[in-house]
Amino acid sequence: MIKSPNLSFDATAELLAHALSNGSLAGIARVLQPLDVSETLEQLERLNTLDRAVAYRTLSKGRALEVFERFDAPVQADLLAGLQDAQVAEVFTALSPDDRVALLDELPAGVANRLILGLNEKDRALTTAVLGYPRGAVGRYMSPQFVTTSPDRTAAESLARVRAQLDDAESVYTIPVTDGRRHLLGVVSLRDLLRAADSDPVSDLMKAPLSVPATLNAEEAARYCADAKVLVLPVVDSENRLVGILTVDDALRILESAESEDSARSGGSEPLRRPYLATPVRAIVRARVVWLLVLALGATLTVQVMDTFEATLAEQVALSLFIPLLIGTGGNTGNQAATTITRALALGDVRPRDVAKVVAREVRVGAVLGLLLGGLGFAITSVIFTVPLGTVVGLTLLGVCTMAAAAGGLMPLLGKALKVDPAVFSNPFISTFVDATGLIIYFLIASAVLGI
């Protein structure tokens, strides 16, 4: 974490809170003025919506625009509600087209339309070009502001184009090469242009391009950009015409957002999409309550199984002692498999068509884990209780681990095939499923081995 040269982060936060509580705009400005953009961002993200708007208005114009651009889109939307119309128009116009679109997605339709109409003709055209792609597509995250050159231009002519568009272009380190109809032919790096002789044609310097279609899922495009280790990834339409570029920083932001989303959903919650302290309590409740209700309904399966085998439990009370161990082990085994496969799907290591290979592999992994844990469970239970009860526990651990690993490997693939976020099919649902089926396996084995 970057520290202020004079005060620690916590000391600065205390001074800012004191100034806000006293309503001292001059005091707020004095606290924020020595901070750099990153420190200012960290301090403002910890405030509630009203205090953040008050503190933001004390920033100088240039600093305010820099800070606003660094906020997540939902926080930007919250902040706009506390600004005057003139300030709103100013910060909105200063954003790049792709950042404007991310913000527009968070705003009511009426506000969004008013902001778009307030743009000049050039900015409106750039923004609506990005806005025209479906949500989730990489076209929604690309920048339509880029420099191009053509194969018949020289290195000197290409560098002149770069200099002329330096203030508007999103990135100039990798320059797409196109023909007269904007068809993507190749790319040339700024380094190669600077190193070449002025008269060298671009056709001798350019390389074969890597590109993605504008309708491709943004996460897949970002993963491709990261794996290819390129600074800029050209985005093309269905006829291979250049429509934008995806920069590496935008790709990393997409991957970070996807990672946060997967982590939240695998834990049985919706992603907050805001810094924790900047998220209203009602939003946190809303993100969690639906999943808790779904999982609570799923847990009724476990209750039904317990009710069905009530007589078995009554005859062998000792069986109830091992229920937490068995369902806990099964849930953990399934969650491990689901997390591994969800990550493999994100990285492109496996695909839905690999379902047979994945399930076969997870069955083997689960069986080995079951043999190890089951053998240990049999030995300990046989010593403390009886050999028949140890046999029940050992066989159940073998069966539960095998079943849980197979289910954990299968469910993310099923989610991907159904075009649902694989994380949704992950840990919470697997735990509920394994709890119920694990108990069935346990009581069926107990009935067979103990003769009850």
Side-chain angles (χ1 to χ4, degrees), residues 2 77 80 84 87 100 125 169 171 185 255 267 279 284 301 312 344 401:
I2 300 174
L80 288 186
Q84 303 297 325
Q87 291 174 300
R100 281 191 210 119
S171 174
L185 303 177
L255 293 176
T279 306
I284 298 176
L301 291 173
T312 304
C401 287

Side-chain angles (χ1 to χ4, degrees), residues 224-241:
Y224 182 57
C225 180
D227 290 343
K229 295 180 175 59
V230 293
L231 295 176
V232 168
L233 188 62
V235 181
V236 298
D237 64 12
S238 58
E239 297 178 2
N240 198 43
R241 289 178 300 197

Side-chain angles (χ1 to χ4, degrees), residues 153-325:
R153 285 196 174 94
T154 64
E157 291 171 336
S158 299
L159 286 172
R161 286 176 62 85
V162 170
R163 294 189 187 97
Q165 301 178 51
L166 202 56
D167 292 335
D168 295 329
E170 180 79 9
S171 174
V172 296
Y173 300 109
T174 301
I175 302 165
V177 182
T178 60
D179 62 15
R181 295 184 178 181
R182 291 190 296 116
H183 292 118
L184 182 65
L185 303 177
V187 294
V188 60
S189 71
L190 182 61
R191 178 193 293 269
D192 289 340
L193 287 177
L194 290 170
R195 188 165 45 195
D198 287 349
S199 59
D200 286 350
V202 170
S203 58
D204 291 346
L205 304 172
M206 69 182 193
K207 300 175 182 177
L210 300 175
S211 64
V212 291
T215 54
L216 182 68
N217 177 271
E219 186 179 346
E220 292 182 40
R223 184 71 62 190
Y224 182 57
C225 180
D227 290 343
K229 295 180 175 59
V230 293
L231 295 176
V232 168
L233 188 62
V235 181
V236 298
D237 64 12
S238 58
E239 297 178 2
N240 198 43
R241 289 178 300 197
L242 185 68
V243 293
I245 57 172
L246 178 69
T247 58
V248 66
D249 56 324
D250 284 334
L252 293 177
R253 190 159 54 215
I254 292 168
L255 293 176
E256 182 184 5
S257 176
E259 186 75 22
S260 298
E261 189 174 278
D262 288 348
S263 296
R265 287 179 173 164
S266 66
S269 177
E270 283 297 307
L272 297 179
R273 302 177 63 241
R274 291 173 173 85
Y276 176 78
L277 292 177
T279 306
V281 172
R282 66 180 182 279
I284 298 176
V285 172
R286 191 164 55 244
R288 298 178 183 179
V289 67
V290 174
W291 289 99
L292 288 176
L293 290 173
V294 170
L295 295 176
L297 289 173
T300 58
L301 291 173
T302 304
V303 176
Q304 291 293 328
V305 172
M306 295 284 287
D307 182 62
T308 301
F309 290 95
E310 184 179 6
T312 304
L313 276 175
E315 287 193 41
Q316 283 283 343
V317 179
L319 290 173
S320 63
L321 300 176
F322 297 93
I323 290 176
L325 166 69

Side-chain angles (χ1 to χ4, degrees), residues 337-361:
T339 300
T340 301
I341 300 306
T342 299
R343 183 65 177 164
L345 281 169
L347 295 174
D349 292 342
V350 298
R351 292 173 174 78
R353 66 171 177 267
D354 298 320
V355 59
K357 295 179 181 178
V358 170
V359 172
R361 178 177 288 260

Side-chain angles (χ1 to χ4, degrees), residues 6-75:
N6 299 316
L7 295 172
S8 69
F9 179 86
D10 290 337
T12 302
E14 287 182 17
L15 287 176
L16 182 58
H18 181 70
L20 284 165
S21 64
N22 291 335
S24 172
L25 296 181
I28 297 168
R30 279 196 301 272
V31 174
L32 295 178
Q33 191 275 330
L35 307 182
D36 62 24
V37 173
S38 295
E39 290 176 314
T40 304
L41 192 73
E42 287 184 271
Q43 293 291 347
L44 295 184
E45 284 181 338
R46 294 172 58 86
L47 303 176
N48 61 45
T49 302
L50 179 60
D51 285 346
R52 190 184 308 118
V54 171
Y56 179 83
R57 287 201 294 266
T58 68
L59 300 175
S60 63
K61 179 180 177 181
R63 174 61 57 84
L65 294 177
E66 287 184 87
V67 170
F68 189 87
E69 189 176 31
R70 296 274 295 275
F71 279 127
D72 293 332
V75 179

